[in-house]
Amino acid sequence: MASATTNMLRDLGFALGPVIVGAVALSNAGSSFAANLSVADLPAAQVAAASEVAAAGGPIAVNSLPAGAPGSATHGLALDAMGSGFTTAFPVCGVAAADAAVLTAFGMIGVSGHRSAKDGGFAPESPAGDGGRAEPAPTTV
């Protein structure tokens, strides 16, 4: 059961981790792009086209516009916004990893690493199967 629980939690992290990081990064990137676009020194037609594309697909869509297309003059703003978004998302990953480490450490409280026959656990048996007692070697005279 412990192995199944571990596998389930690992799979959950593999599924939710990228989703959460992507949501944080893209949300921040969208906000940053909109703020920077409003103060950009670009022609009104470029700003309007980029705003429409960003409203439909975010800064990633603006960044993927072909050169010369309406709104493509804002590639630099879109790229900077994505960088800003992931600059925020990576510390979120660090906090999540630190939280996981703390939870693991808390869960390990009271778990002993080694048990012997003396404290009720199992001790490794000697290869001879005698419980670890060595027989004295025969002496010859």
Side-chain angles (χ1 to χ4, degrees):
M1 285 182 61
S3 177
T5 302
T6 301
N7 287 334
M8 188 250 336
L9 291 174
R10 181 179 49 236
D11 291 344
L12 182 66
F14 286 157
L16 286 181
V19 170
I20 292 171
V21 170
V24 168
L26 293 178
S27 173
N28 189 354
S31 300
S32 176
F33 181 72
N36 291 338
L37 189 61
S38 65
V39 296
D41 187 24
L42 295 169
Q46 289 285 336
V47 171
S51 293
E52 288 182 32
V53 172
I60 290 178
V62 173
N63 195 44
S64 66
L65 288 171
S72 64
T74 60
H75 278 178
L77 291 174
L79 193 58
D80 289 343
M82 292 299 296
S84 171
F86 280 102
T87 298
T88 303
F90 291 146
V92 170
C93 292
V95 168
D99 287 347
V102 167
L103 288 173
T104 301
F106 181 72
M108 296 294 293
I109 292 174
V111 175
S112 76
H114 177 42
R115 293 185 180 184
S116 65
K118 186 170 137 183
D119 60 9
F122 295 100
E125 197 169 310
S126 73
D130 59 2
R133 293 182 302 266
E135 296 291 326
T139 56
T140 56
V141 183

